[in-house]
Amino acid sequence: MTARELDAAGITDPGLRSAYARCRELNARHGKTYFLATRLLPAHRRPAVHALYGFARWADDIVDCHGADTTVAERAAALERLAAQLRHGLATGHGDEPVVRALADTAHRYAIDPAHFQDFMTAMRDDLTVTDYPGYADLRRYMHGSAAVIGLQMLPVLGTTVPRAQAEPHAAALGVAFQLTNFLRDVGEDLDRGRVYLPADLLAAHGVDRDLLRWSRDTGGRDRRITRALQAFEALTRDVYREAVPGIALLDPVSRPCIRSAFVLYAGILDAVADDRYSVLHRRAVVPRRRRAVVALDGLVRIAHARLRHRSAPSAVPPHRPGPHGPVRTGRARLADREAV
């Protein structure tokens, strides 16, 4: 299916096709929920989403998995090399690293603000040294670069039926909601990496600290204080989903099934955590395959309806919808515009 997507997107250069294929491979391997939702997009928009995911995954792997024995200084140096490649790629539209080359091409095609990528790299640098967050406000500042900008990067690819600025707050909130969900699901794994993303004041309000989390992780023991703290974090996350949901209706109709499916699947992770009695310190909660299949089928039905309506609508392209080879250029569709699993 990769060739069909690349053909639909008008990507013909062999090296560039290979770069996009690499990003698609990263998305398929590491972002199963994200990848499933991406399959619901029109074929010509999928390569751009794979490029955005592939670059983010590449940077994240440098921070977390760049060799078992690498030092913080070595990982910081690798991240700076990637940042330099990114700056060069965004300036020239090219890059030696496949994920950078695909990202640079996507950023050019869809007029994505380069500041979003710079903010993302700042958050990645923070992950090298910051291991906890005193309060939710501190966490949200970090998540601007690690999550909100992902939603903002995605918005030009998805297209909107309103001026982009009107949809931006909801797109940013959805990126944050998805990351908060991951934080809850991955509490145990993050703790093993030396990080606690749950705000310290939220934990303290329920009598929990890092040592208690470590005890639970190491022994398999359960404590009601931890459960109550996790429930509070879940409630906070669901509030952010509520901030995000109005934005779905502002998207290009053919993109809505993708984002709606991602919304349902990620929110389903919260349900899976609750159904598993908040055992995230001991194992990862997963959405059952049957549930994923039902959501995907619903997305396909919605796509069929959206395409049918599109065919019966007037032929003019809405001014904020990207075309098959990039965005329709309007007064707002410029690199300076402020616009993501």
Side-chain angles (χ1 to χ4, degrees):
M1 298 294 286
T2 304
R4 185 172 75 85
E5 294 172 357
L6 295 172
D7 290 344
I11 299 168
T12 58
D13 178 87
L16 190 57
R17 287 170 73 92
S18 177
Y20 272 104
R22 174 59 176 148
C23 292
R24 186 182 190 277
E25 176 189 341
L26 289 168
N27 195 353
R29 184 190 308 167
H30 298 290
K32 291 182 173 56
T33 298
Y34 202 75
F35 184 75
L36 176 61
T38 302
R39 298 289 301 144
L40 300 176
L41 279 175
H44 69 268
R45 301 191 196 184
R46 295 175 202 161
V49 178
H50 297 322
L52 294 173
Y53 180 93
F55 178 82
R57 181 72 201 195
W58 194 263
D60 193 59
D61 281 351
I62 289 175
V63 173
D64 285 336
C65 310
H66 201 64
D69 300 322
T70 55
T71 65
V72 170
E74 288 169 333
R75 282 178 283 154
L79 205 58
E80 288 309 313
R81 287 193 293 273
L82 180 63
Q85 291 172 336
L86 173 64
R87 289 191 295 272
H88 176 75
L90 292 175
T92 65
H94 302 287
D96 295 330
E97 179 61 57
V99 296
V100 173
R101 185 173 183 184
L103 180 78
D105 183 71
T106 288
H108 174 73
R109 286 171 181 264
Y110 287 93
I112 302 174
D113 186 349
H116 297 326
F117 303 110
Q118 295 160 9
D119 290 347
F120 172 77
M121 293 303 293
T122 296
M124 293 300 97
R125 294 183 187 97
D126 288 346
D127 263 336
L128 291 174
T129 56
V130 180
T131 60
D132 51 43
Y133 294 86
Y136 183 53
D138 304 288
L139 183 64
R140 283 296 291 253
R141 279 192 289 273
Y142 160 75
M143 286 192 296
H144 168 74
S146 66
V149 297
I150 303 298
L152 298 175
Q153 292 167 19
M154 280 283 293
L155 199 55
V157 180
L158 298 172
T160 61
T161 58
V162 297
R164 190 183 299 171
Q166 187 175 335
E168 285 175 348
H170 304 293
L174 190 60
V176 170
F178 287 171
Q179 186 165 65
L180 289 171
T181 301
N182 287 340
F183 287 161
L184 181 60
R185 181 195 63 191
D186 299 338
V187 169
E189 295 174 18
D190 287 331
L191 189 62
D192 290 343
R193 297 186 182 105
R195 299 195 199 107
V196 177
Y197 287 107
L198 278 61
D201 59 354
L202 181 149
L203 294 174
H206 298 277
V208 179
D209 57 17
R210 184 186 285 257
D211 289 341
L212 185 59
L213 295 176
R214 188 74 260 172
W215 166 84
S216 179
R217 177 71 169 169
D218 292 343
T219 67
R222 300 183 64 89
D223 189 293
R224 291 180 180 176
R225 292 172 294 176
I226 294 176
T227 299
R228 287 194 291 268
L230 296 175
Q231 288 172 329
F233 193 78
E234 177 198 0
L236 180 154
T237 302
R238 291 191 186 275
D239 285 343
V240 181
Y241 275 100
R242 282 188 279 273
E243 292 177 33
V245 70
I248 297 176
L250 306 181
L251 298 175
D252 184 339
V254 297
S255 296
R256 290 174 199 164
C258 164
I259 301 306
R260 182 178 283 106
S261 296
F263 184 100
V264 172
L265 287 169
Y266 269 92
I269 295 173
L270 297 180
D271 297 332
V273 168
D275 291 343
D276 198 30
R277 299 174 56 240
Y278 301 91
S279 300
V280 289
L281 281 160
H282 314 131
R283 55 184 171 267
R284 173 182 279 212
V286 296
V287 178
R289 287 185 179 179
R290 179 180 176 84
R291 174 60 174 157
R292 291 164 61 88
V294 168
V295 172
L297 179 60
D298 176 71
L300 290 172
V301 171
R302 291 177 183 274
I303 286 172
H305 289 165
R307 289 177 180 170
L308 184 61
R309 288 195 299 271
H310 176 69
R311 285 177 191 142
S312 3
S315 59
V317 178
H320 305 281
R321 178 183 298 170
H325 309 305
V328 174
R329 290 305 189 111
T330 68
R332 292 191 52 79
R334 298 174 182 168
L335 284 173
D337 283 355
R338 300 288 288 183
E339 266 48 63
V341 244

